[in-house]
C-alpha cells in the first residue's frame, strides 16, 4: 500500500541518535545504514516528487546508493545492518524501476496523490463517460473483429494477406496514437511540476484520462503484435 | 479467482452471439468499452415498431469471461421485454445472478451500459423521446 505524501517524519538514528527525516537510507550524521525508510520512492533519491526528472542524475544516484548498499560492505556488520542492506537494496531497486519509466513514474505519483488508476477504480468513477475513449470504440471493435478473423484463418492453416496488411496498417495507426498520448502526457508533466494546487488538480485529471486511453491503446497494440507474430 | 458456474456456462455457451443489420430502422446498436481493462462490447436489439417489444438481441464481446457472461445474460433478459422494461435491468441484477465478485462489477456495468446505449440508439433512430431513466434513486 502506498503511503500518503507526508514523509518528513523525523526519526532518531539507531547508531548516533541524531534525528534525521525518515526518508534516507543512510544517516546524514554518522553515515550508518538505516532501516528501510517509510517515505515515497522520490525521497529515496532525495528528490521532490516531480514528473520531469533528470534521468541521468537518477541513474547516477541509483548506482551510487547501490554501491553503498552492496552486501560485501556489510560482511562484518551486525545482523541488523546486514538485514537492512538487503531490505534497502530491494526498496532502492523498486524505486529506481518505478521512477525511471515515464509511465510508471506518472502512475506512481498520481497514486501518491490519491488518484485511482486502472483497475483500482473498480466502481466509483465508472459512470464518468469522459473516461471511456469513445472516439476509439468503433475502431477498437473493428480491430478486434479482424484479429478474431485472423486467428481463425490461422488455425485453419490459411493466410489472408489482405487481412494481414490491414492489421499491419492498424498497428501503425495505433502506435501513432500511442505516441500522441505520450506527448500529451509529457505536456501535463510540466503543468503538474510547476503548477499551483488548482493547476495540479487539473493536470492530474487529464493524466488519469490519458493513462486510461494509453492502457486501451497499448493492449490493442499488444494483441495485434501477438496475432501478427503468431 | 474462480468463476461461478453460471459465468462458466454463459462463457462456454454464450447465447445470442452475432450481428444484426446496423442500418435497419428497427435495430438499435450499443457499443461500449470499459476503460479499466480495455474490453469492448456491442449489443444490438431489433424492436417491433408496433409493440416496442425487443424481439431479437445479439451481442459480440471482446473481453473477460464475466463480460461475456454479463452480455449473454443481458440479451437473454431483454428479449421479449419492451424497451422501457429492458431499461429497468440494473447491473446489480446481473451481479447477483452471476455471483460476480467486486473486481468484476465493472463487467456487469458494461452490459447495463450496452443495453442503454442500444435502446438509446434505437430511440434516436425512431424519434422516440429519451425517457429520464435515472436508476434506483428515482423510485426511492
Ligand atoms: S475485466 Fe473488463 S469487462 Fe471484465
Ligand atoms: Zn547516525
Amino acid at each position: 500500500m502506498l503511503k500518503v505524501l507526508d514523509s518528513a517524519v523525523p526519526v532518531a538514528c539507531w547508531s548516533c541518535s541524531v534525528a534525521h527525516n525518515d526518508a534516507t537510507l543512510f544517516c546524514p550524521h554518522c553515515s550508518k545504514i538505516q532501516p528501510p525508510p517509510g517515505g515515497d520512492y522520490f525521497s529515496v533519491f532525495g528528490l521532490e516528487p516531480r514528473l520531469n526528472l533528470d534521468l541521468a542524475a537518477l541513474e547516477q544516484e541509483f548506482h551510487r546508493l547501490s554501491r553503498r548498499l552492496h552486501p560485501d560492505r556489510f560482511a562484518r556488520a551486525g545482523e541488523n545492518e546486514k538485514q537492512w542492506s538487503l531490505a534497502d537494496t530491494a526498496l532502492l531497486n523498486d524505486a529506481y524501476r518505478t521512477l525511471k519509466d515515464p509511465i510508471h513514474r506518472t502512475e506512481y505519483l498520481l497514486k501518491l496523490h490519491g488518484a485511482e488508476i486502472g483497475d483500482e477504480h473498480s466502481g466509483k468513477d465508472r459512470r464518468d463517460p469522459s473516461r471511456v475513449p469513445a472516439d476509439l470504440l468503433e475502431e477498437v471493435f473493428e480491430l478486434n473483429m479482424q484479429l478474431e478473423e485472423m486467428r481463425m484463418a490461422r488455425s485453419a492453416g490459411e493466410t489472408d494477406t489482405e487481412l494481414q496488411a490491414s492489421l499491419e496498417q492498424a498497428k501503425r495507426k495505433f502506435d501513432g496514437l500511442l505516441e500522441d498520448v505520450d506527448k500529451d502526457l509529457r505536456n501535463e508533466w510540466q503543468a503538474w511540476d510547476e503548477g499551483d494546487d488548482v493547476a495540479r488538480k487539473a493536470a492530474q485529471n487529464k493524466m488519469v484520462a490519458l493513462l486510461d486511453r494509453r492502457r486501451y491503446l497499448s493492449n490493442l497494440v499488444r494483441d495485434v503484435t501477438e496475432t501478427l507474430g503468431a | 479467482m474462480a468463476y461461478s458456474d453460471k459465468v462458466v456456462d454463459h462463457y462456454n455457451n454464450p447465447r445470442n452471439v452475432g450481428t444484426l443489420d446496423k442500418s435497419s430502422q428497427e435495430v438499435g446498436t450499443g457499443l461500449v468499452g470499459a476503460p479499466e481493462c480495455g474490453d469492448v462490447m456491442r449489443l444490438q436489439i431489433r424492436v417491433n415498431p408496433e409493440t416496442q417489444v425487443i424481439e431479437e438481441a445479439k451481442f459480440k464481446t471482446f473481453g473477460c469471461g464475466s463480460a461475456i457472461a454479463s452480455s449473454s445474460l443481458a440479451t437473454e433478459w431483454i428479449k421479449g421485454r419492451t424497451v422501457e422494461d429492458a431499461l429497468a435491468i440494473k447491473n446489480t441484477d446481473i451481479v447477483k445472478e452471476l455471483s460476480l465478485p467486486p473486481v468484476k462489477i465493472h463487467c456487469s456495468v458494461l452490459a447495463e451500459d450496452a443495453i442503454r446505449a442500444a435502446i438509446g440508439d434505437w430511440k434516436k433512430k425512431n424519434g422516440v423521446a429519451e425517457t429520464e431513466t435515472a436508476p434506483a434513486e428515482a423510485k426511492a
Side-chain angles (χ1 to χ4, degrees):
Chain A
M1 215 36 231
L2 287 170
K3 218 178 107 154
V4 181
L5 265 194
D6 152 49
S7 52
V9 193
V11 287
C13 171
W14 61 274
S15 175
C16 71
S17 302
V18 171
H20 58 74
N21 81 43
D22 172 37
T24 175
L25 302 179
F26 296 94
C27 173
H29 189 69
C30 72
S31 304
K32 289 273 194 195
I33 187 168
Q34 303 296 307
D40 61 74
Y41 287 165
F42 292 93
S43 62
V44 170
F45 295 94
L47 295 168
E48 289 293 315
R50 282 177 68 87
L51 289 166
N52 269 308
L53 285 189
D54 179 345
L55 289 182
L58 184 77
E59 188 183 357
Q60 241 173 33
E61 184 64 1
F62 170 68
H63 289 309
R64 191 182 69 84
L65 289 168
S66 295
R67 274 194 303 274
R68 280 186 81 181
L69 288 171
H70 196 279
D72 288 357
R73 294 187 170 222
F74 296 89
R76 273 173 315 193
E79 207 39 53
N80 277 344
E81 285 169 86
K82 271 190 190 138
Q83 290 299 328
W84 293 337
S85 79
L86 296 177
D88 283 359
T89 299
L91 172 68
L92 179 67
N93 288 337
D94 286 346
Y96 181 59
R97 224 176 296 132
T98 303
L99 296 190
K100 79 170 177 199
D101 178 90
I103 300 302
H104 291 162
R105 177 166 74 245
T106 308
E107 287 182 348
Y108 177 76
L109 184 128
L110 292 176
K111 281 186 201 169
L112 280 180
H113 284 262
E116 295 179 320
I117 310 271
D119 43 35
E120 290 191 4
H121 57 78
S122 49
K124 276 177 263 165
D125 276 339
R126 52 172 222 203
R127 291 227 179 256
D128 182 349
S130 69
R131 303 188 68 129
V132 184
D135 57 321
L136 287 178
L137 272 177
E138 296 274 351
E139 277 170 280
V140 169
F141 193 83
E142 215 18 69
L143 184 64
N144 272 300
M145 291 291 256
Q146 291 186 341
L147 285 173
E148 193 174 78
E149 234 181 283
M150 184 81 182
R151 288 189 203 107
M152 261 149 59
R154 271 263 164 66
S155 60
E158 296 158 17
T159 32
D160 187 333
T161 44
E162 207 177 302
L163 194 55
Q164 172 113 13
S166 123
L167 280 173
E168 268 157 15
Q169 196 191 338
K171 177 170 154 20
R172 276 193 298 276
K173 164 161 190 193
F174 284 103
D175 274 335
L177 289 174
L178 212 47
E179 275 166 34
D180 293 346
V181 170
D182 287 349
K183 223 180 287 150
D184 291 349
L185 214 45
R186 270 165 224 273
N187 285 335
E188 297 308 321
W189 283 1
Q190 186 155 3
W192 196 93
D193 284 350
E194 276 147 36
D196 55 14
D197 279 355
V198 180
R200 275 196 170 183
K201 190 77 204 149
Q204 191 164 317
N205 290 339
K206 279 195 208 142
M207 284 190 281
V208 170
L210 283 168
L211 287 168
D212 274 344
R213 186 179 173 87
R214 191 179 197 287
R215 190 169 326 102
Y216 222 95
L217 289 168
S218 68
N219 284 346
L220 280 178
V221 170
R222 184 202 58 208
D223 290 351
V224 178
T225 310
E226 263 174 31
T227 307
L228 284 172
Chain B
M1 173 193 47
Y3 281 124
S4 74
D5 290 349
K6 281 184 180 153
V7 171
V8 172
D9 178 40
H10 276 280
Y11 182 75
N12 289 330
N13 301 292
R15 336 288 200 257
N16 309 310
V17 174
T19 310
L20 298 174
D21 175 14
K22 211 180 150 168
S23 59
S24 159
Q25 181 77 14
E26 296 173 12
V27 170
T29 300
L31 185 58
V32 293
E36 292 90 340
C37 58
D39 293 350
V40 280
M41 179 183 292
R42 185 186 64 198
L43 192 147
Q44 296 181 295
I45 52 172
R46 195 173 52 73
V47 182
N48 182 319
E50 243 83 279
T51 58
Q52 305 217 336
V53 166
I54 298 171
E55 294 187 333
E56 224 181 332
K58 296 275 183 206
F59 82 94
K60 179 80 196 161
T61 294
F62 297 102
C64 72
S66 303
I68 291 171
S70 296
S71 39
S72 171
L73 179 67
T75 55
E76 272 195 326
W77 276 358
I78 60 177
K79 256 191 2 192
R81 292 203 195 199
T82 64
V83 289
E84 289 312 317
D85 258 4
L87 285 172
I89 294 170
K90 293 277 154 324
N91 84 290
T92 45
D93 305 332
I94 297 172
V95 171
K96 233 199 249 149
E97 175 69 16
L98 297 175
S99 321
L100 297 180
V103 292
K104 289 287 165 178
I105 288 178
H106 79 268
C107 320
S108 70
V109 172
L110 204 56
E112 185 193 319
D113 287 350
I115 298 176
R116 289 176 187 285
I119 291 175
D121 181 52
W122 175 83
K123 283 187 169 172
K124 211 157 90 200
K125 261 189 190 170
N126 290 274
V128 179
E130 211 40 84
T131 34
E132 210 27 80
T133 50
E137 305 93 77
K139 283 171 215 131

